[in-house]
Amino acid sequence: MWYRITPNDTLFFRDGKPFTMGAESWADIIFPPNPSTLYGAIRTWLIFEKGDLKSFIEGKFREELGTPNEKGKLRIKGPILFKNGEFLFPLPLDLLKREGNENNNVLSYLTFSRKPDILISDYKMDNSLIWKDTEHAESVEGYISAIYLKNYLSGEGNLGFTEAGDLYIVETKIGIARDRVTRTAKWGHIYRAPMIRLKEGVSIAVWIDGITNIPESGLLQLGGEKKSAKIEKVNDNILEEIENINLQLDNGLFKVYLATPSIFENGYLPGWIDPNTFEGSYNRIKVKLVCCVIGKYRLIGGWDMAKGKPKPMVRAVPAGSVYYFQILDNPSFDRIKETFHFKNISDRYPEEGYGLSLIGVVRL
């Protein structure tokens, strides 16, 4: 079931780089937050809704919420931004904006084609995505509504986007550490931290599964400063059209769009794809990766509360990345949809929301 989280104040979600007062004065932020951040906040909220920390440590919630050393049945999908009853997804990276277009919010597809002979690089795939028009185009950062996302996945209809500035603003907070004894400022410990303030009507949506008797609303702590946020159930299934989308994969190709970051075993390649042939089998569906467009990796870290030390840092493929696959056997569309559509396909931590994928047609 879908829940939306509405903060009561600014939020701070920093990236995986070290930030120590006295060594670094500026912290970089990420938004939306990493799925693991939401997973931890929701898990903590449910622990205290069902009992207390002592009961959790003793394993009384082992089946659903796990223990400090293992996870239970709790699963999430997201986070996805939510504005006035409408979902907003990260822009797919195979879309560009034409420069000089009177309507600045109109997007166009990159063209899927054979790799040009003049391309000199270590790119090993036979196909690529290129811009064939004579007009200049540029990549943009923003979000695509569920209505436009359906058009994108089906390869039909207009495409528009919403800029980040329409959803939130960044406020800079300046602070300094104080000595706990003298209560005076510490020399060299001034810092600046960018804070996210969501605009009116904007919240963070997440799908929660695997848990029974979830409260319909409550308060949880979120972000680096543990600010309070309201969490409440969204009663309507407003993604039903996308979840139940029916596509025609007549050319033997389909693409997988990542709505959340994904951690793969081989960098940008899923662990089930052979790095030499680019072929693989996922849930007994044989495919070949023929093309992809990915953004700059995101560093995923965090703090292990149970062990009292930082988690190992890993690189994640960012949200918005798109993978193009050729079907090598003859599965039905329903099987492909059941395997790849609205599923977490990350090699690591899929239960925490990493690798939320949706399938779409490939335009030729």
Side-chain angles (χ1 to χ4, degrees):
M1 59 194 74
W2 283 106
Y3 279 76
R4 63 179 178 185
I5 300 171
T6 307
N8 296 316
D9 200 349
T10 55
L11 295 173
F12 177 52
F13 304 107
R14 70 180 183 89
D15 62 7
K17 293 185 295 185
F19 175 62
T20 305
M21 289 180 293
E24 300 287 341
S25 62
W26 180 259
D28 293 326
I29 59 170
I30 56 172
F31 192 80
N34 290 327
S36 50
T37 301
L38 266 293
Y39 184 87
I42 292 168
R43 192 184 188 195
T44 301
W45 169 58
L46 291 172
I47 287 171
F48 287 98
E49 286 288 339
K50 291 179 177 290
D52 52 32
L53 190 58
K54 182 175 181 293
S55 300
F56 171 69
I57 294 174
E58 292 174 349
K60 294 182 179 180
F61 315 132
R62 180 187 298 271
E63 183 177 357
E64 290 189 329
L65 299 175
T67 68
N69 296 313
E70 63 183 38
K71 295 172 185 173
K73 292 183 177 180
L74 174 64
R75 301 288 186 270
I76 71 167
K77 293 176 182 177
I80 304 296
L81 294 189
F82 193 67
K83 180 179 181 182
N84 296 329
E86 183 176 45
F87 282 92
L88 293 163
F89 294 80
L91 268 178
L93 294 180
D94 57 350
L95 297 177
L96 297 179
K97 183 183 75 169
R98 296 174 184 270
E99 288 186 358
N101 196 318
E102 294 182 359
N103 188 345
N104 290 327
N105 285 352
V106 173
L107 298 166
S108 300
Y109 293 89
L110 286 169
T111 301
F112 174 80
S113 67
R114 296 286 297 178
K115 182 175 64 176
D117 295 333
I118 61 172
L119 181 63
I120 302 176
S121 76
D122 58 357
Y123 182 83
K124 299 179 181 179
M125 300 180 201
D126 296 330
N127 300 278
S128 63
L129 294 170
I130 61 175
W131 180 253
K132 286 190 172 182
D133 290 356
T134 56
E135 297 177 76
H136 290 289
E138 60 182 358
S139 59
V140 291
E141 294 184 6
Y143 300 87
I144 186 170
S145 69
I147 295 175
Y148 285 131
L149 180 63
K150 182 182 178 183
N151 291 348
Y152 166 77
L153 297 176
S154 62
E156 301 175 350
N158 296 326
L159 298 173
F161 72 98
T162 300
E163 295 181 355
D166 295 331
L167 304 175
Y168 60 87
I169 58 176
V170 180
E171 300 178 356
T172 301
K173 172 185 176 181
I174 299 177
I176 193 167
R178 293 196 302 177
D179 188 286
R180 293 186 178 182
V181 177
T182 64
R183 310 299 293 173
T184 58
K186 287 185 177 181
W187 177 260
H189 279 59
I190 192 170
Y191 66 91
R192 295 174 295 170
M195 315 292 286
I196 295 291
R197 185 180 296 278
L198 299 185
K199 292 192 173 182
E200 185 71 25
V202 180
S203 55
I204 302 170
V206 61
W207 175 271
I208 304 176
D209 198 8
I211 303 295
T212 59
N213 300 322
I214 306 177
E216 295 201 354
S217 63
L219 288 175
L220 52 72
Q221 291 181 325
L222 189 61
E225 295 189 336
K226 296 183 179 180
K227 299 287 186 69
S228 68
K230 181 180 180 181
I231 181 169
E232 54 188 334
K233 182 180 178 181
V234 179
N235 292 317
D236 297 329
N237 186 8
I238 51 183
L239 273 186
E240 185 175 4
E241 286 191 14
I242 289 181
E243 290 183 46
N244 298 327
I245 195 169
N246 188 25
L247 304 175
Q248 299 297 324
L249 307 180
D250 297 330
N251 52 21
L253 300 169
F254 70 95
K255 61 184 174 183
V256 169
Y257 155 76
L258 295 178
T260 61
S262 186
I263 305 172
F264 293 131
E265 294 294 342
N266 298 321
Y268 77 98
L269 280 179
W272 45 274
I273 291 290
D274 186 299
N276 296 313
T277 64
F278 296 104
E279 296 182 5
S281 177
Y282 190 74
N283 194 24
R284 301 190 306 277
I285 295 179
K286 295 180 180 180
V287 296
K288 180 177 181 179
L289 179 63
V290 293
C291 184
C292 63
V293 52
I294 59 175
K296 182 180 179 181
Y297 64 83
R298 175 183 283 194
L299 288 173
I300 306 293
W303 185 262
D304 193 318
M305 297 292 290
K307 298 179 181 179
K309 64 179 183 180
K311 296 179 181 178
M313 194 76 69
V314 294
R315 294 183 177 184
V317 176
S321 299
V322 186
Y323 291 77
Y324 286 62
F325 291 103
Q326 177 185 352
I327 304 170
L328 298 182
D329 51 8
N330 191 31
S332 65
F333 170 75
D334 288 339
R335 273 196 64 205
I336 296 176
K337 180 180 176 182
E338 182 182 351
T339 299
F340 291 101
H341 191 62
F342 208 67
K343 298 291 189 297
N344 293 337
I345 64 170
S346 176
D347 291 340
R348 299 190 191 179
Y349 317 128
E351 70 281 352
E352 296 185 6
Y354 286 101
L356 177 59
S357 67
L358 296 97
I359 61 171
V361 302
V362 175
R363 292 160 49 105
L364 298 178

